[in-house]
Each structure stands twice: as C-alpha cells, then as structure tokens.
Amino acid sequence: MSNSFFVRTTTLGVVQEAYWSDPISLAIPYKTTLAELFDEDNRRTFEKTFTSALLEKHKVFCSHVVIVEERLELCFFILSLDQDVWVLAVDYLMELPPDLQERQKHLLFKMIEQVAAMHSRFSLHNSQVVYSHFEQIQKLNNQLVNTQRELQRANKKLEALNLDLNNRLVKDPLTGLVSRYQYRSEMQRVINANPQALGLFAFIDIDAFKHVNDTYGHAVGDEYLVAFSKRLASLPFEKSTIAMRIAGDEFGLYMHELASVDDEIFSSLYRKFEVYVTERPLSTSIGELAISCSVGFAVYNRDTTNLFELIEYADWAMYQAKRGGKHGYRVFDKLLYDQRYSEQ
C-alpha cells in the first residue's frame, strides 16, 4: 500500500482536518501547520507552491518535497478554494513511468476537486465521513496503480512472447531454414526491391523420405532433414538465395534478379544442386543414407507475378519430375498445365 495523507488547512497552512493511510508513520495529526513537516530548504519549496495555489484559486498545483520525520519524498497536490486549502500527498507517483504519471496526476487532480466540492456542498465537518470517502478513493487509487503495474509487467511478457513467436515464425525450428509461415513474406521482400526482375523458384521434394522415417524412425528422419538442409543453405549460387522448408520433406529455393532464364540456366542450376546436395550420402547416427530429390522450376515475371501461383506452378512441375522417374527436374509448362486441368 502507498504512503499518503490528505489534509484541509487554512490559507495560512494551519491544519484543520487530517486523514492518512497506513503503513505511514507520519505525525500529521500532531502538527498544527504543514510547514512543520519540512526542513528549511524543503519548506521554501513547499511554501512557494502553496503561495501559487493561494494566488490562483480553483487550480491544482503540484510539488515534490521531502518530509523531515521519514526522509520520504512525497508529491504534494494543492488546491485552494475560498476558505480552505486541500493538500494531498502521495509517495508512489515517482515510481511510475512518465506517461502513467501524467494520467495519475489527472486522476488525483479530479479526486481533490471532488472531495473539496463534496465538503463545500454538504459542509461535512465530520472527519470520519470524509475519511470514509477518502479511504474508498484511496483504495480505488491503489487498485488503479496496481492494475497499471500489472499491465506494464504483462506488456513486457507479451513483448518477449511476440519476439519469441516472431523468431519461431521466421526460422523453421528443426532445420533453421526460413519457415513455412514466413517464406512468402521473405520472397516478397526481395521482389519489392526490384519488381521487374526475373526470379526463379525451385520446389524440391525428397524422393524417399517416407522410407527413411518408416525404416529408421523419426529421430533419424530429423537428422536426415537437418543434414539435407545444411547442404541446401550452403549452395554457392551467384545470386542471393532464400532457402526454405515448405512442409515435412518439401523445400524451396528462390533467387531474384536473374539476367535471363533459359534451358541452360535450369540445367546448370540443377547440376549444381546435384553436386552440392545429392551426390554424396547424408550422415546420420545410423550411418550414411543416400539422398534423391525431384525438383520443379517456375519463373517469376514469366510464368506469373503471383507468389501463390508461382509456388503452385513449381509444385506441379516437381510432380511431373516424380512421374518421370524421380531424381530429376522439370520446368513449368503453362500449356501442359492448362491442358491438364481442361481435361478434368
């Protein structure tokens, strides 16, 4: 609970009524004037603010002052009316961030005005009644402060979770490649840098991965995928390449800003893929296992400018490679693609 007190004084600073909240050990009820709370330097600071309030009535003034007994820095809010001066002191305000401080000050200003207006309107000389209202407001105020602090903690946790989630979305947790949640965004990012350039998408499927999983188990299957992904990510292409995991045993490569795309390019790229990825077996905990892949190519800004279509076209071409005997590649052919669907 925060330390605070609320007093009604005369225009000379003589205490008329005092209300305070535990656990503060202030001797407010035993002071005849507020000036007795401060040493000389802090008294001058307080009296300057007190005088400003007297000169400009019906306006709340704020001042940070240290009281003598507790060596406790309090924030004083002072409101001068016709005959009375209302003073609220709280200790927690300086602990809040600047934006929350301003909102809290506004709330406290309104609280003082409401209590003062209530006192003036109904002439409430019974300090217990006033204290009861003040206590209720203080409880609500404490709840608000606690809620704000909980909200700050929750926001920090949310930021950490969002950062972790973003990292998980960008990177596939098993292989470290760009994940299925993010690969289209990554492709679009490089395309946006030069939208008119040619791009090449390769849809890659491991031909016998189900056999590896069924024969040696999922743990070895994961080792197999990790070893394959390391080779895929290290392909020495001249253009910057995005390597991605699309699904379980389906992967992709995208390179942008190609000067031209023709049969020679397709053949050269696939041959490099063979040399660096599939010619040598993959090392696992049960020994070396052979690797074979079927690849489908589709060209951005030639076959389509729609990423969803680009991936679908390359996927279709990859299945043509599988039907042709696996361990090979096919280039997307729009005429064959349209003919196939028109025949269904």
Side-chain angles (χ1 to χ4, degrees):
M1 179 184 294
S2 62
N3 293 318
S4 60
F5 65 87
F6 196 27
V7 298
R8 182 175 65 86
T9 77
T10 67
T11 55
L12 297 177
V14 178
V15 177
Q16 301 294 302
E17 297 175 79
Y19 319 97
W20 60 99
S21 66
D22 291 329
I24 198 169
S25 58
L26 297 172
I28 298 299
Y30 309 107
K31 302 295 185 184
T32 56
T33 66
L34 289 177
E36 295 175 51
L37 289 171
F38 314 106
D39 60 24
E40 185 175 349
D41 290 337
N42 285 287
R43 183 182 300 116
R44 282 197 295 269
T45 301
F46 177 81
E47 287 178 347
K48 182 179 179 180
T49 306
F50 193 90
T51 301
S52 298
L54 293 178
L55 293 175
E56 193 170 353
K57 297 183 182 298
H58 300 277
K59 180 179 178 181
V60 180
F61 289 79
C62 179
S63 178
H64 293 269
V65 191
V66 177
I67 62 174
V68 174
E69 277 90 355
E70 301 293 323
R71 300 309 303 171
L72 181 66
E73 184 178 3
L74 298 174
C75 185
F76 286 78
F77 297 84
I78 306 170
L79 172 66
S80 174
L81 300 177
D82 295 333
Q83 301 297 326
D84 299 321
V85 180
W86 293 86
V87 180
L88 170 67
V90 296
D91 71 341
Y92 63 81
L93 195 65
M94 289 74 76
E95 300 174 5
L96 300 177
D99 58 328
L100 293 183
Q101 284 188 29
E102 291 305 313
R103 288 159 55 189
Q104 192 68 14
K105 282 182 182 179
H106 181 73
L107 177 67
L108 293 173
F109 290 166
K110 292 298 181 183
M111 185 191 82
I112 298 169
E113 290 172 348
Q114 290 298 320
V115 173
M118 176 185 67
H119 187 278
S120 176
R121 188 162 53 247
F122 298 105
S123 300
L124 294 177
H125 299 296
N126 185 334
S127 62
Q128 290 301 316
V129 175
V130 178
Y131 175 74
S132 176
H133 285 282
F134 173 67
E135 188 178 45
Q136 291 179 38
I137 293 173
Q138 183 68 21
K139 286 179 180 179
L140 290 172
N141 189 52
N142 285 336
Q143 290 175 7
L144 176 62
V145 172
N146 290 334
T147 300
Q148 289 170 335
R149 288 171 178 167
E150 287 295 327
L151 181 60
Q152 283 181 282
R153 286 192 285 268
N155 282 337
K156 288 180 180 178
K157 290 181 180 178
L158 182 59
E159 288 173 5
L161 289 172
N162 280 334
L163 179 60
D164 180 63
L165 178 60
N166 186 61
N167 289 335
R168 289 174 181 270
L169 290 177
V170 172
K171 296 294 185 182
D172 178 67
L174 176 64
T175 65
L177 301 179
V178 175
S179 78
R180 59 179 176 173
Y181 302 106
Q182 197 72 12
Y183 68 87
R184 290 188 185 89
S185 297
E186 292 296 298
M187 290 167 63
Q188 190 64 60
R189 179 179 59 80
V190 298
I191 289 171
N192 289 343
N194 190 353
Q196 304 306 316
L198 292 172
L200 182 64
F201 184 78
F203 200 114
I204 304 163
D205 182 87
I206 300 176
D207 289 327
F209 180 68
K210 185 177 185 302
H211 172 75
V212 173
N213 249 353
D214 293 345
T215 304
Y216 305 108
H218 291 286
V220 172
D222 285 349
E223 294 174 11
Y224 190 83
L225 292 177
V226 170
F228 171 80
S229 299
K230 287 180 179 178
R231 291 186 182 178
L232 193 67
S234 61
L235 277 167
F237 291 130
E238 293 179 5
K239 296 294 183 180
S240 178
T241 306
I242 300 171
M244 64 201 77
R245 186 184 183 192
I246 298 173
D249 60 350
E250 294 178 336
F251 295 80
L253 291 171
Y254 183 75
M255 59 188 70
H256 197 62
E257 294 187 289
L258 297 175
S260 63
V261 178
D262 53 27
D263 291 341
E264 185 178 342
I265 293 292
F266 295 128
S267 177
S268 173
L269 291 177
Y270 183 74
R271 179 56 188 151
K272 187 171 287 188
F273 175 77
E274 283 186 309
V275 170
Y276 286 92
V277 179
T278 63
E279 276 193 352
R280 293 171 291 112
L282 297 173
S283 296
T284 71
S285 59
I286 56 92
E288 293 190 331
L289 299 175
I291 175 72
S292 169
C293 295
S294 297
V295 180
F297 290 115
V299 179
Y300 183 83
N301 264 333
R302 188 189 74 177
D303 298 324
T304 181
T305 57
N306 181 296
L307 285 186
F308 289 91
E309 289 182 347
L310 182 71
I311 295 163
E312 180 186 343
Y313 291 169
D315 183 26
W316 181 84
M318 180 272 294
Y319 275 105
Q320 303 313 301
K322 276 191 175 298
R323 293 189 183 97
K326 301 183 180 180
H327 192 64
Y329 75 92
R330 291 290 188 277
V331 178
F332 176 72
D333 186 318
K334 191 69 162 61
L335 292 176
L336 291 178
Y337 179 84
D338 291 340
Q339 181 181 352
R340 173 179 181 271
Y341 283 99
S342 65
E343 291 173 353
Q344 291 182 351

